Amino acid sequence: MSRVYARRLARRVTVLASTAALALTGLLVTAPAAQAAPPTPVSAATARSYLGQLTVRAEGSSSGYSRDMFPHWITQSGTCNTREVVLKRDGVNVVQDANCAATSGSWYSPYDGATWYAASDVDIDHVVPLAEAWRSGASSWTTTQRRSFANDLTRPQLIAVTDNVNQAKGDKDPGDWMPPRTAYHCTYARMWVHVKYEWNLAVDSAEKSALQSVLNGC
């Protein structure tokens, strides 16, 4: 284990322990009042309707997939790329330097309820992962379509979250993974279905069942 990783892990443990202690004493604020967010997903009722219209089929192959097939993060304006735009959008009091890199601010991760004060601790999650999209229909898209999907700021497809949580998610669909913070499950399911519907991506049976279960409880 490198010294840098060891220090980072130790800091994470300290922060998480402090968060747990605050939660137990009722002092934890669950989210900043001014927190920005991705585009609002469709309602649970609409998501249930959309889910019923999605093609259900066995998940396709990962053959031929690589992240390079989905060019990101592309320039959005000036020197700002998609990651930097989302960091600014989803953060509070975010300050950027001349190159658009976030130098300060705070980021609340709705997946796990943690707040971070360094952009390096935050990943931009593709709600529907790129590899999952590939297996659900994007393998037949053009590179231009895949670029648009990977940098989609119009739909609730990109969100700033704790990096470790994003890495634990990997390319799993809701049949295998949901955010550890259960209070966010309904929103996450709405986001997932919204994106899949807008991009005409398929779902497998286990994925659909998991989504139905969550949405029925919203």
Side-chain angles (χ1 to χ4, degrees):
M1 179 183 296
S2 70
R3 293 179 181 176
V4 172
Y5 181 80
R7 287 197 300 270
R8 189 171 180 180
L9 182 60
R11 175 175 55 78
R12 287 276 169 83
V13 170
T14 300
V15 170
L16 290 174
S18 298
T19 298
L22 285 171
L24 288 173
T25 58
L27 299 176
L28 180 64
V29 177
T30 56
Q35 179 67 34
T40 303
V42 295
S43 68
T46 300
R48 286 192 290 269
S49 174
Y50 282 2
L51 182 59
Q53 299 174 58
L54 295 180
T55 298
V56 180
R57 61 171 173 77
E59 197 165 78
S61 169
S62 293
S63 177
Y65 168 76
S66 79
R67 289 179 67 83
D68 292 340
M69 302 294 286
F70 294 79
H72 66 289
W73 304 110
I74 63 171
T75 300
Q76 292 291 339
S77 63
T79 59
C80 300
N81 67 26
T82 307
R83 171 182 164 81
E84 291 150 352
V85 169
V86 177
L87 284 173
K88 177 71 171 179
R89 182 198 70 189
D90 289 4
V92 173
N93 298 324
V94 177
V95 175
Q96 296 173 308
D97 64 18
N99 295 317
C100 209
T103 58
S104 64
S106 66
W107 292 269
Y108 172 78
S109 169
Y111 283 8
D112 60 335
T115 298
W116 302 100
Y117 297 91
S120 59
D121 289 320
V122 179
D123 277 357
I124 307 305
D125 180 40
H126 289 96
V127 172
V128 175
L130 304 182
E132 162 67 21
W134 177 271
R135 297 188 297 264
S136 302
S139 59
S140 64
W141 292 353
T142 64
T143 299
T144 298
Q145 288 174 304
R146 290 192 288 265
R147 179 187 298 113
S148 296
F149 178 81
N151 298 275
D152 188 356
L153 294 168
T154 303
R155 299 148 183 106
Q157 162 67 344
L158 300 172
I159 184 170
V161 298
T162 301
D163 55 2
N164 290 25
V165 174
N166 183 49
Q167 290 153 25
K169 170 184 173 178
D171 63 356
K172 301 180 182 73
D173 68 36
D176 297 311
W177 188 92
M178 290 291 286
R181 181 169 163 260
T182 56
Y184 202 67
H185 285 189
C186 184
T187 301
Y188 185 79
R190 288 160 51 209
M191 294 167 75
W192 185 281
V193 172
H194 187 158
V195 172
K196 281 225 162 175
Y197 179 84
E198 292 290 342
W199 285 94
N200 195 28
L201 293 169
V203 291
D204 62 50
S205 58
E207 175 188 353
K208 181 175 182 178
S209 178
L211 288 163
Q212 283 178 325
S213 179
V214 172
L215 292 171
N216 287 340
C218 292

